């Protein structure tokens, strides 16, 4: 009896350890991570998906009109639809943030917020990025009520209205040009007296009669009325003059930070770019670290769209599948 018990116990431990060894991890549950999870699970991999707090940027988007196949859907509902597609697939959800990711031999060691540690033969890292904000009073109440970080996502809500874009890089210039075709007037507020963005974009900006530039100016206050944004207050830095602009929408375009804080700085230092992003070597998803793949905004500093992130998730899962097949 004792010997049989021991045999079954060892068999259980062996098969558990063996199955643990076969698992792959996906970190992040935005469009990139969810798409990667679906592709990986359908390719018969045992997937562990770390969802974190589920605070994908898509959730902040009031209405999404440019995700093919899902017109006029809120960011929240689109995420719900994506999540519902995981049902019935071999995916273990861990609804906690990853706090540390490092290399352990050929495997990757992941520690979550509860201190649970597991190792994986491959990882798809899809933690996204977080848009920088000005940390002004009222910001928290005004997201989705006039305040946005994505003109492509929310621009259509401001048809014929006046809006402000804050920033002076390519994103700000592109967002201002995009919004100038929708809004009545677009103010672009930049803290210096020259734009950082490309000259061609600056030229296009100058030609657009409904774009008004406010250089050398800092936004110091977001005004609100009845729970919605009604305008901004800004200070011209050289003249020290304070003024107000009444607008219905404000778009922050002051850059973003890839969420790579949990990557061990020693193990990952060679694949992190100067802006904190993961640098890829192939297809926008393969890195110089075997078995470590990325998808979405954490590596993509160019497009930052839900649909491109979902596409990356698919590519990362297929590349991960090929990598495991080769091994
Ligand atoms: P970015 O190039 O870093 O520009 C951020 C802008 O926001 C800068 O003008 C900066 O001002 C301003 N800013 C930063 N912090 C601020 C603060 N606290 N208050 C006020 N202003 C602040 O970021 P991005 O425009 O998002 O572009 C990111 C990367 O993607 C860049 O490499 C860009 O070239 C690339 N991109 C390319 C394209 C394209 O090729 N078409 C389109 C979009 C983005 P300062 O200038 O004073 O620093």
């Amino acid at each position: 009896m004792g010997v049989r018990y021991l045999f079954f116990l060892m068999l259980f431990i062996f098969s558990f350890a063996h199955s643990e060894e076969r698992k792959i991890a996906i970190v992040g549950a935005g469009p990139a991570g969810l798409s990667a999870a679906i592709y990986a699970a359908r390719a018969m991999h045992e997937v562990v998906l770390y969802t974190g707090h589920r605070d994908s940027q898509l959730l902040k988007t009031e209405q999404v009109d440019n995700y093919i196949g899902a017109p006029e859907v809120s960011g929240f509902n689109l995420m719900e639809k994506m999540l519902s597609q995981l049902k019935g697939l071999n995916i273990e959800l861990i609804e906690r943030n990853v706090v540390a990711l490092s290399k352990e031999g050929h495997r990757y060691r992941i520690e979550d917020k509860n201190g649970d540690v597991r190792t994986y033969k491959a990882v798809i890292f899809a933690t996204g990025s977080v848009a920088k904000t000005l940390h002004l009073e009222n910001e928290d109440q005004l997201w989705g009520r006039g305040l946005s970080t994505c003109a492509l996502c929310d621009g259509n809500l401001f048809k014929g209205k006046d809006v402000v874009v804050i920033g002076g890089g390519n994103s700000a210039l592109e967002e201002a040009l995009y919004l100038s075709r929708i809004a009545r007037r677009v103010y672009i507020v930049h803290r210096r007296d020259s734009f950082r963005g490309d000259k061609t974009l600056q030229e296009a900006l100058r030609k657009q009669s409904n774009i008004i530039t406010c250089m050398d100016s800092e936004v110091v206050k977001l005004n609100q009325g009845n729970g919605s944004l009604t305008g901004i207050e800004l200070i011209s830095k050289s003249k020290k003059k304070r003024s107000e602009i009444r607008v219905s929408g404000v778009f922050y375009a002051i850059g973003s930070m890839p969420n790579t804080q949990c990557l061990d700085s020693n193990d990952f230092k060679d694949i992190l770019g100067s802006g904190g992003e993961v640098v890829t070597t192939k297809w926008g998803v393969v890195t110089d670290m075997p078995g470590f793949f990325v998808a979405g905004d954490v590596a993509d500093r160019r497009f930052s769209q839900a649909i491109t992130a979902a596409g990356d998730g698919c590519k990362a899962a297929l590349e991960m599948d090929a990598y495991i097949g080769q091994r």
Side-chain angles (χ1 to χ4, degrees), residues 134 166-172 174 190-192 196 198 201 253-256 301-302:
L134 291 177
I166 304 171
N170 278 332
S171 297
E174 282 193 346
H190 182 37
R191 64 181 175 185
R192 289 187 300 115
R196 171 190 294 276
D198 293 350
L201 288 173
I254 58 172
S256 64
R301 310 306 294 146
R302 174 75 180 88

Side-chain angles (χ1 to χ4, degrees), residues 286-304:
V286 178
T287 73
D288 251 346
M289 292 176 74
F292 188 78
F293 302 88
V294 284
D297 289 7
V298 75
D300 168 21
R301 310 306 294 146
R302 174 75 180 88
F303 300 104
S304 299

Side-chain angles (χ1 to χ4, degrees), residues 132-148:
K132 286 190 204 160
T133 72
L134 291 177
H135 304 289
L136 297 173
E137 209 185 319
N138 300 340
E139 255 175 24
D140 287 347
Q141 297 102 286
L142 292 173
W143 291 120
R145 295 170 182 273
L147 186 58
S148 169

Side-chain angles (χ1 to χ4, degrees), residues 102-128:
S102 56
K103 205 90 213 279
E104 199 169 273
H106 292 301
R107 295 174 68 81
Y108 291 91
R109 177 189 188 276
I110 290 185
E111 179 179 344
D112 71 28
K113 195 166 173 271
N114 280 10
D116 288 346
V117 173
R118 299 194 196 182
T119 69
Y120 300 92
K121 60 182 174 183
V123 172
I124 298 175
F125 195 68
T127 49

